[in-house]
Amino acid sequence: MASKRSYFFPEASDNEWNDFRWQLKNRVATFSSLSKLLRLSDEELAAFGAEEAATRFSVTPYYLSLMDPDDPDDPVRKQCVPTSGEFEDGRHSPDPLKEKVTMPVPGVVHRYPDRALFLTTNICPVYCRHCMRRREWAKDETPRTPSQLSAMVEYVKRTPAIKEVMISGGDPLSLPLELLDHLLKELRAVPHLEIIRLASRYPVVLPQRITAEVAETLKRYFPVWFVTHFNHPNEITEESAGACRRLLDAGIPVLNQAVLLRGVNDEPKVIEELMRGLLKIGVKPYYLFQCDPVRGVSHFRTSVFKGIEIMEHLRGRVSGLAQPTFALDTEGGGKIPLLPNYVTSYTENSLIVRNYEGKTFEYENPRPASGKDEEAPLLPFESAAK
Ligand SMILES: *Cc1c(COP(=O)(O)O)cnc(C)c1O
Ligand code: SF4
């Protein structure tokens, strides 16, 4: 899809367009400005008319320009323009993963022993309609204060089991760069902290923000792992590729977490194209997530088996480098990886396995050398239940 920049924003100069401040200042965030740019469908109009439509909405000119204005089912449009589907289902919780319950101090989610998640701000340049943390930004834009951030770092300091901090949000690159720099510096000074991970969608929705200065800042705190969120091949553009390239050139590995979304990317061919496209711009597919049962997001959810079908399609046909882990998230229990079933039966002596084409093979299971009293976990598929 060619950019529709000149259709939507004919007046923007190159200097303005490439300046992230201009992009932020010109975010489309009201019904009246959006309806001047797009002919809204009944479902979209109903979202703005709905009683609860006080929910936040925002899209950058850059991200908007990736849409085909004549296609109400455009995959970029579906990710950023509210529809009445958001108000249909009150059955699900706003926080099904119980993140709030696992917060030892405000802003820190500590679920796995060795990793802590930092919610640093609730501001994003684009509010994704499928966001699993909608509850954080639904009402207002309030970044955490420097003293709140310091309290979060203090928690890491007094918890030696934490080896990795994931800086998330909202979007942590919405913090002023000096504040993010300060946070990184404080974290790097914690002796037991090994890995810093940054989770940000800026490369996809506002790639102009990934300036040389941002890359230089992150570079100082090596190793910093950068996880971004591409969902559709149309999001892979010269600009988003350039943003990833600036990070990669600074020694920052870039990985991708996609979410499986009904009507956006729930086709094996689309995910295949996305994964191939990511590898071409140097980004490693990391996770493909089942869409969580979050209130306001249900209309995006597919069957879990759709994800398994997609994984089945990718295996063998697409480079091993392009294979994400398909996973669902549980109510406070963490992520569970899901695979097509490649082991059709097994005994202690052998496994019957099948390959991507459905051909089956018997694979002999090596036994401990005789005489040795070795306790091998012989039946792994049952041992997990112990
Ligand atoms: C996803 C998540 C993590 C990170 O999990 P990885 O498998 O290491 O990517 C850590 N903490 C919380 C609360 C999470 O939701
Ligand atoms: S960028 Fe991330 S946190 Fe922000 S709205 Fe999108 S999915 Fe949610």
Side-chain angles (χ1 to χ4, degrees):
M1 251 277 307
S3 165
K4 297 286 180 203
R5 169 182 160 188
S6 55
Y7 169 86
F8 286 120
F9 301 97
E11 257 113 70
S13 70
D14 282 354
N15 273 345
E16 288 172 329
W17 189 259
N18 296 323
D19 181 349
F20 73 89
R21 293 174 205 88
W22 183 90
Q23 290 280 342
L24 281 175
K25 205 164 80 200
N26 289 278
R27 291 198 294 174
V28 177
T30 61
F31 171 66
S32 66
S33 51
L34 183 71
S35 56
K36 281 188 198 110
L37 294 166
L38 288 176
R39 207 159 59 84
L40 296 176
S41 70
D42 290 348
E43 279 195 318
E44 290 164 341
L45 283 169
F48 288 104
E51 219 175 298
E52 295 153 273
T55 184
R56 202 155 284 282
F57 148 78
S58 162
V59 53
T60 56
Y62 164 79
Y63 196 61
L64 197 102
S65 76
L66 305 184
M67 281 180 208
D68 174 353
D70 299 321
D71 181 5
D73 292 325
D74 181 275
V76 166
R77 180 170 179 154
K78 287 204 158 171
Q79 289 182 69
C80 62
V81 176
T83 66
S84 49
E86 294 181 22
F87 306 101
E88 276 161 14
D89 186 5
R91 187 167 64 93
H92 294 307
S93 155
D95 181 18
L97 309 184
K98 302 244 187 314
E99 291 191 323
K100 293 229 144 134
V101 180
T102 37
M103 268 195 204
V105 298
V108 179
V109 183
H110 191 187
R111 170 164 308 140
Y112 299 107
D114 71 326
R115 281 154 288 169
L117 175 68
F118 272 28
L119 307 182
T120 55
T121 164
N122 67 351
I123 300 174
C124 301
V126 170
Y127 289 109
C128 311
R129 305 330 298 172
H130 57 274
C131 179
M132 51 92 82
R133 292 205 190 100
R134 293 174 65 104
R135 62 176 194 278
E136 295 287 328
W137 50 253
K139 299 214 171 55
D140 53 9
E141 292 191 328
T142 44
R144 284 187 204 282
T145 62
S147 69
Q148 286 173 322
L149 290 174
S150 292
M152 291 158 67
V153 175
E154 284 304 317
Y155 175 76
V156 176
K157 275 192 199 156
R158 62 173 189 266
T159 315
I162 298 175
K163 303 264 177 269
E164 174 172 349
V165 166
M166 272 157 292
I167 305 177
S168 184
D171 201 309
L173 282 173
S174 299
L175 294 172
L177 189 57
E178 315 75 67
L179 187 55
L180 181 62
D181 188 21
H182 180 73
L183 174 64
L184 290 166
K185 192 182 289 165
E186 282 200 307
L187 283 172
R188 259 291 160 255
V190 180
H192 56 264
L193 189 72
E194 295 168 359
I195 308 293
I196 296 174
R197 190 192 312 188
L198 211 64
S200 165
R201 211 181 184 198
Y202 270 86
V204 182
V205 295
L206 180 37
Q208 294 82 357
R209 178 68 189 103
I210 312 295
T211 55
E213 196 191 0
V214 166
E216 281 302 311
T217 302
L218 302 182
K219 182 179 183 167
R220 288 201 290 276
Y221 303 101
F222 183 90
V224 173
W225 293 72
F226 196 105
V227 180
T228 192
H229 178 174
F230 285 88
N231 282 332
H232 193 278
N234 290 1
E235 295 166 340
I236 301 177
T237 64
E238 212 176 293
E239 288 94 335
S240 61
C244 295
R245 186 57 191 258
R246 288 189 286 283
L247 294 167
L248 293 165
D249 283 346
I252 301 158
V254 184
L255 296 92
N256 190 66
Q257 297 186 160
V259 184
L260 188 56
L261 299 172
R262 177 190 293 279
V264 173
N265 61 8
D266 59 338
E267 301 268 352
K269 287 277 173 211
V270 172
I271 295 287
E272 175 181 339
E273 194 186 338
L274 175 64
M275 299 305 157
R276 287 186 191 281
L278 289 172
L279 281 196
K280 284 208 307 214
I281 62 167
V283 174
K284 168 77 184 90
Y286 176 41
Y287 274 123
L288 172 64
F289 285 123
Q290 165 71 9
C291 184
D292 293 319
V294 174
R295 184 178 303 166
V297 172
S298 315
H299 56 298
F300 282 118
R301 301 185 76 215
T302 64
S303 159
V304 172
F305 299 107
K306 176 56 79 175
I308 293 175
E309 179 200 340
I310 288 172
M311 294 309 294
E312 179 87 59
H313 170 86
L314 294 179
R315 177 60 60 189
R317 286 184 187 83
V318 185
S319 166
L321 289 172
Q323 313 280 330
T325 297
F326 177 54
L328 54 75
D329 218 326
T330 53
E331 209 176 283
K335 297 177 180 66
I336 311 288
L338 297 172
L339 270 178
N341 196 3
Y342 292 113
V343 178
T344 53
S345 68
Y346 63 95
T347 65
E348 288 185 9
N349 300 319
S350 70
L351 295 88
I352 307 297
V353 292
R354 67 165 181 91
N355 74 356
Y356 72 99
E357 300 161 305
K359 281 196 196 136
T360 57
F361 302 85
E362 180 169 4
Y363 189 89
E364 193 192 312
N365 189 33
R367 302 297 310 272
S370 61
K372 278 211 188 121
D373 191 20
E374 198 175 316
E375 235 190 281
L378 284 172
L379 300 175
F381 302 101
E382 281 154 21
S383 69
K386 272 189 207 153

Short mmCIF file of all heavy atoms in Angstrom, two decimals, residues 308-349:
data_model
loop_
_atom_site.label_atom_id
_atom_site.label_comp_id
_atom_site.label_asym_id
_atom_site.label_seq_id
_atom_site.Cartn_x
_atom_site.Cartn_y
_atom_site.Cartn_z
N ILE A 308 -3.23 -21.74 16.03
CA ILE A 308 -2.53 -23.02 15.82
C ILE A 308 -2.48 -23.36 14.33
O ILE A 308 -1.46 -23.80 13.81
CB ILE A 308 -3.19 -24.13 16.67
CG1 ILE A 308 -2.95 -23.81 18.15
CG2 ILE A 308 -2.65 -25.51 16.30
CD1 ILE A 308 -3.62 -24.72 19.14
N GLU A 309 -3.57 -23.07 13.62
CA GLU A 309 -3.60 -23.28 12.17
C GLU A 309 -2.52 -22.43 11.49
O GLU A 309 -1.82 -22.88 10.57
CB GLU A 309 -4.99 -22.89 11.63
CG GLU A 309 -5.12 -23.04 10.12
CD GLU A 309 -6.28 -22.22 9.54
OE1 GLU A 309 -7.21 -21.83 10.29
OE2 GLU A 309 -6.25 -21.95 8.33
N ILE A 310 -2.37 -21.20 11.95
CA ILE A 310 -1.36 -20.31 11.36
C ILE A 310 0.05 -20.84 11.63
O ILE A 310 0.91 -20.85 10.74
CB ILE A 310 -1.56 -18.86 11.87
CG1 ILE A 310 -2.83 -18.28 11.22
CG2 ILE A 310 -0.34 -17.99 11.56
CD1 ILE A 310 -3.26 -16.94 11.76
N MET A 311 0.27 -21.32 12.85
CA MET A 311 1.60 -21.87 13.17
C MET A 311 1.88 -23.11 12.30
O MET A 311 2.99 -23.33 11.84
CB MET A 311 1.70 -22.23 14.66
CG MET A 311 1.63 -21.03 15.58
SD MET A 311 2.76 -19.70 15.17
CE MET A 311 4.33 -20.50 15.48
N GLU A 312 0.86 -23.90 12.11
CA GLU A 312 0.98 -25.09 11.25
C GLU A 312 1.39 -24.66 9.83
O GLU A 312 2.23 -25.28 9.20
CB GLU A 312 -0.38 -25.80 11.22
CG GLU A 312 -0.44 -27.03 10.37
CD GLU A 312 0.00 -28.29 11.13
OE1 GLU A 312 -0.62 -28.60 12.14
OE2 GLU A 312 0.97 -28.91 10.68
N HIS A 313 0.78 -23.59 9.36
CA HIS A 313 1.08 -23.08 8.02
C HIS A 313 2.53 -22.60 7.92
O HIS A 313 3.20 -22.81 6.90
CB HIS A 313 0.12 -21.93 7.69
CG HIS A 313 0.48 -21.19 6.44
ND1 HIS A 313 0.08 -21.60 5.18
CD2 HIS A 313 1.25 -20.08 6.24
CE1 HIS A 313 0.57 -20.77 4.27
NE2 HIS A 313 1.28 -19.83 4.89
N LEU A 314 3.02 -21.94 8.97
CA LEU A 314 4.36 -21.35 8.90
C LEU A 314 5.46 -22.41 8.94
O LEU A 314 6.48 -22.29 8.25
CB LEU A 314 4.59 -20.39 10.07
CG LEU A 314 3.75 -19.10 10.13
CD1 LEU A 314 4.12 -18.31 11.37
CD2 LEU A 314 3.97 -18.24 8.88
N ARG A 315 5.25 -23.44 9.75
CA ARG A 315 6.30 -24.44 9.98
C ARG A 315 6.64 -25.17 8.68
O ARG A 315 5.74 -25.67 8.00
CB ARG A 315 5.83 -25.43 11.06
CG ARG A 315 6.77 -26.57 11.35
CD ARG A 315 8.14 -26.13 11.83
NE ARG A 315 8.10 -25.35 13.07
CZ ARG A 315 9.18 -24.73 13.56
NH1 ARG A 315 10.34 -24.78 12.95
NH2 ARG A 315 9.07 -24.03 14.68
N GLY A 316 7.92 -25.16 8.33
CA GLY A 316 8.34 -25.88 7.13
C GLY A 316 8.28 -25.03 5.87
O GLY A 316 9.02 -25.24 4.93
N ARG A 317 7.37 -24.06 5.85
CA ARG A 317 7.20 -23.24 4.65
C ARG A 317 8.00 -21.95 4.73
O ARG A 317 8.31 -21.34 3.71
CB ARG A 317 5.73 -22.87 4.44
CG ARG A 317 4.91 -24.01 3.95
CD ARG A 317 3.48 -23.59 3.67
NE ARG A 317 2.71 -24.80 3.36
CZ ARG A 317 2.20 -25.60 4.28
NH1 ARG A 317 2.35 -25.31 5.56
NH2 ARG A 317 1.54 -26.67 3.94
N VAL A 318 8.24 -21.51 5.96
CA VAL A 318 8.88 -20.22 6.16
C VAL A 318 10.09 -20.45 7.05
O VAL A 318 10.06 -21.30 7.95
CB VAL A 318 7.88 -19.25 6.86
CG1 VAL A 318 8.47 -17.85 6.98
CG2 VAL A 318 6.56 -19.20 6.09
N SER A 319 11.13 -19.67 6.82
CA SER A 319 12.37 -19.76 7.60
C SER A 319 12.10 -19.96 9.08
O SER A 319 11.20 -19.34 9.66
CB SER A 319 13.16 -18.47 7.40
OG SER A 319 14.20 -18.37 8.37
N GLY A 320 12.90 -20.79 9.70
CA GLY A 320 12.80 -20.98 11.15
C GLY A 320 12.97 -19.67 11.90
O GLY A 320 12.41 -19.46 12.97
N LEU A 321 13.74 -18.75 11.34
CA LEU A 321 13.93 -17.43 11.97
C LEU A 321 12.63 -16.66 12.05
O LEU A 321 12.47 -15.77 12.87
CB LEU A 321 14.94 -16.60 11.15
CG LEU A 321 16.40 -17.04 11.20
CD1 LEU A 321 17.21 -16.23 10.19
CD2 LEU A 321 16.96 -16.83 12.60
N ALA A 322 11.70 -16.99 11.14
CA ALA A 322 10.46 -16.23 11.06
C ALA A 322 9.34 -16.81 11.92
O ALA A 322 8.22 -16.33 11.88
CB ALA A 322 9.99 -16.15 9.60
N GLN A 323 9.65 -17.84 12.72
CA GLN A 323 8.61 -18.49 13.51
C GLN A 323 8.48 -17.82 14.87
O GLN A 323 9.39 -17.91 15.68
CB GLN A 323 8.95 -19.97 13.75
CG GLN A 323 9.40 -20.75 12.54
CD GLN A 323 8.25 -21.20 11.65
OE1 GLN A 323 7.15 -21.43 12.14
NE2 GLN A 323 8.51 -21.31 10.38
N PRO A 324 7.33 -17.20 15.15
CA PRO A 324 7.13 -16.67 16.50
C PRO A 324 6.67 -17.81 17.41
O PRO A 324 6.36 -18.90 16.93
CB PRO A 324 5.99 -15.66 16.31
CG PRO A 324 5.18 -16.22 15.18
CD PRO A 324 6.17 -16.98 14.29
N THR A 325 6.63 -17.56 18.69
CA THR A 325 5.95 -18.48 19.61
C THR A 325 4.51 -18.00 19.74
O THR A 325 4.27 -16.84 20.08
CB THR A 325 6.63 -18.44 21.00
OG1 THR A 325 7.97 -18.88 20.87
CG2 THR A 325 5.90 -19.32 21.99
N PHE A 326 3.58 -18.89 19.42
CA PHE A 326 2.17 -18.54 19.62
C PHE A 326 1.84 -18.80 21.08
O PHE A 326 2.17 -19.87 21.62
CB PHE A 326 1.29 -19.39 18.70
CG PHE A 326 -0.19 -19.17 18.87
CD1 PHE A 326 -0.73 -17.89 18.79
CD2 PHE A 326 -1.04 -20.23 19.14
CE1 PHE A 326 -2.09 -17.68 18.96
CE2 PHE A 326 -2.41 -20.03 19.31
CZ PHE A 326 -2.94 -18.74 19.22
N ALA A 327 1.23 -17.84 21.75
CA ALA A 327 0.98 -18.00 23.19
C ALA A 327 -0.31 -17.31 23.60
O ALA A 327 -0.74 -16.33 23.00
CB ALA A 327 2.15 -17.43 24.00
N LEU A 328 -0.90 -17.83 24.67
CA LEU A 328 -2.01 -17.12 25.29
C LEU A 328 -1.59 -16.77 26.71
O LEU A 328 -0.68 -17.35 27.27
CB LEU A 328 -3.29 -17.96 25.27
CG LEU A 328 -3.33 -19.37 25.82
CD1 LEU A 328 -3.35 -19.39 27.34
CD2 LEU A 328 -4.57 -20.09 25.30
N ASP A 329 -2.25 -15.76 27.25
CA ASP A 329 -1.92 -15.31 28.60
C ASP A 329 -3.07 -15.70 29.52
O ASP A 329 -4.23 -15.68 29.11
CB ASP A 329 -1.72 -13.79 28.62
CG ASP A 329 -0.58 -13.39 29.56
OD1 ASP A 329 -0.41 -14.06 30.59
OD2 ASP A 329 0.12 -12.42 29.25
N THR A 330 -2.71 -16.10 30.74
CA THR A 330 -3.72 -16.62 31.66
C THR A 330 -4.05 -15.60 32.74
O THR A 330 -3.38 -14.59 32.87
CB THR A 330 -3.20 -17.90 32.34
OG1 THR A 330 -1.94 -17.58 32.92
CG2 THR A 330 -3.05 -19.01 31.34
N GLU A 331 -5.04 -15.94 33.51
CA GLU A 331 -5.48 -15.07 34.60
C GLU A 331 -4.46 -15.10 35.73
O GLU A 331 -4.57 -15.89 36.67
CB GLU A 331 -6.82 -15.61 35.10
CG GLU A 331 -7.73 -14.56 35.67
CD GLU A 331 -9.06 -15.17 36.05
OE1 GLU A 331 -9.88 -15.43 35.14
OE2 GLU A 331 -9.28 -15.41 37.25
N GLY A 332 -3.42 -14.31 35.59
CA GLY A 332 -2.41 -14.25 36.64
C GLY A 332 -1.39 -15.37 36.62
O GLY A 332 -0.51 -15.42 37.47
N GLY A 333 -1.46 -16.28 35.64
CA GLY A 333 -0.52 -17.41 35.62
C GLY A 333 0.57 -17.31 34.58
O GLY A 333 1.36 -18.23 34.41
N GLY A 334 0.61 -16.22 33.86
CA GLY A 334 1.66 -16.04 32.87
C GLY A 334 1.28 -16.60 31.50
O GLY A 334 0.14 -16.98 31.27
N LYS A 335 2.28 -16.62 30.62
CA LYS A 335 2.04 -17.00 29.22
C LYS A 335 2.18 -18.50 29.02
O LYS A 335 3.06 -19.13 29.57
CB LYS A 335 3.04 -16.27 28.33
CG LYS A 335 2.87 -14.76 28.39
CD LYS A 335 3.91 -14.04 27.56
CE LYS A 335 3.73 -12.54 27.64
NZ LYS A 335 3.99 -12.02 29.01
N ILE A 336 1.33 -19.04 28.16
CA ILE A 336 1.37 -20.47 27.84
C ILE A 336 1.60 -20.60 26.34
O ILE A 336 0.79 -20.13 25.54
CB ILE A 336 0.01 -21.15 28.17
CG1 ILE A 336 -0.48 -20.79 29.58
CG2 ILE A 336 0.11 -22.66 27.95
CD1 ILE A 336 0.28 -21.43 30.72
N PRO A 337 2.73 -21.24 25.94
CA PRO A 337 2.97 -21.42 24.50
C PRO A 337 2.09 -22.55 23.95
O PRO A 337 1.83 -23.53 24.64
CB PRO A 337 4.44 -21.82 24.44
CG PRO A 337 4.75 -22.42 25.78
CD PRO A 337 3.81 -21.78 26.77
N LEU A 338 1.64 -22.39 22.72
CA LEU A 338 0.80 -23.41 22.09
C LEU A 338 1.39 -23.78 20.74
O LEU A 338 1.76 -22.91 19.96
CB LEU A 338 -0.62 -22.86 21.87
CG LEU A 338 -1.41 -22.49 23.12
CD1 LEU A 338 -2.71 -21.80 22.71
CD2 LEU A 338 -1.71 -23.72 23.94
N LEU A 339 1.44 -25.07 20.48
CA LEU A 339 2.00 -25.58 19.23
C LEU A 339 1.00 -26.53 18.60
O LEU A 339 0.24 -27.18 19.32
CB LEU A 339 3.23 -26.43 19.54
CG LEU A 339 4.61 -25.81 19.61
CD1 LEU A 339 5.60 -26.88 19.99
CD2 LEU A 339 4.99 -25.19 18.27
N PRO A 340 1.03 -26.66 17.27
CA PRO A 340 0.31 -27.78 16.68
C PRO A 340 0.89 -29.06 17.29
O PRO A 340 2.04 -29.06 17.73
CB PRO A 340 0.66 -27.69 15.19
CG PRO A 340 1.14 -26.30 14.98
CD PRO A 340 1.75 -25.85 16.27
N ASN A 341 0.13 -30.11 17.33
CA ASN A 341 0.62 -31.34 17.96
C ASN A 341 1.47 -32.15 16.98
O ASN A 341 0.96 -32.71 16.03
CB ASN A 341 -0.58 -32.15 18.45
CG ASN A 341 -0.14 -33.21 19.44
OD1 ASN A 341 1.04 -33.28 19.79
ND2 ASN A 341 -1.07 -34.01 19.90
N TYR A 342 2.77 -32.19 17.22
CA TYR A 342 3.67 -32.92 16.33
C TYR A 342 4.01 -34.31 16.84
O TYR A 342 4.67 -35.07 16.15
CB TYR A 342 4.97 -32.11 16.11
CG TYR A 342 4.73 -30.84 15.33
CD1 TYR A 342 4.90 -29.59 15.93
CD2 TYR A 342 4.33 -30.88 14.01
CE1 TYR A 342 4.66 -28.42 15.23
CE2 TYR A 342 4.09 -29.72 13.29
CZ TYR A 342 4.26 -28.49 13.90
OH TYR A 342 4.03 -27.35 13.21
N VAL A 343 3.60 -34.61 18.08
CA VAL A 343 3.86 -35.95 18.62
C VAL A 343 2.52 -36.67 18.62
O VAL A 343 1.63 -36.32 19.39
CB VAL A 343 4.43 -35.86 20.05
CG1 VAL A 343 4.64 -37.26 20.62
CG2 VAL A 343 5.74 -35.08 20.06
N THR A 344 2.35 -37.65 17.74
CA THR A 344 1.03 -38.26 17.65
C THR A 344 0.84 -39.37 18.69
O THR A 344 -0.27 -39.61 19.13
CB THR A 344 0.73 -38.78 16.23
OG1 THR A 344 1.79 -39.64 15.84
CG2 THR A 344 0.63 -37.65 15.24
N SER A 345 1.93 -40.06 19.08
CA SER A 345 1.86 -40.99 20.21
C SER A 345 3.28 -41.26 20.68
O SER A 345 4.25 -40.94 19.98
CB SER A 345 1.17 -42.29 19.81
OG SER A 345 1.98 -42.99 18.89
N TYR A 346 3.41 -41.86 21.86
CA TYR A 346 4.75 -42.13 22.36
C TYR A 346 4.70 -43.20 23.43
O TYR A 346 3.67 -43.42 24.07
CB TYR A 346 5.41 -40.86 22.92
CG TYR A 346 4.68 -40.30 24.11
CD1 TYR A 346 5.09 -40.62 25.41
CD2 TYR A 346 3.58 -39.46 23.95
CE1 TYR A 346 4.40 -40.13 26.51
CE2 TYR A 346 2.89 -38.96 25.03
CZ TYR A 346 3.31 -39.30 26.32
OH TYR A 346 2.64 -38.83 27.39
N THR A 347 5.84 -43.90 23.58
CA THR A 347 6.05 -44.80 24.71
C THR A 347 7.40 -44.42 25.28
O THR A 347 8.05 -43.50 24.76
CB THR A 347 6.09 -46.28 24.27
OG1 THR A 347 7.25 -46.44 23.42
CG2 THR A 347 4.83 -46.67 23.52
N GLU A 348 7.88 -45.19 26.29
CA GLU A 348 9.22 -44.91 26.80
C GLU A 348 10.28 -45.14 25.73
O GLU A 348 11.35 -44.57 25.77
CB GLU A 348 9.52 -45.81 28.00
CG GLU A 348 8.73 -45.38 29.22
CD GLU A 348 9.09 -46.19 30.46
OE1 GLU A 348 10.08 -46.95 30.39
OE2 GLU A 348 8.39 -46.06 31.46
N ASN A 349 9.97 -46.00 24.77
CA ASN A 349 10.99 -46.41 23.79
C ASN A 349 11.00 -45.59 22.51
O ASN A 349 12.02 -45.50 21.85
CB ASN A 349 10.80 -47.88 23.43
CG ASN A 349 10.92 -48.76 24.66
OD1 ASN A 349 11.80 -48.53 25.50
ND2 ASN A 349 10.02 -49.72 24.79
#
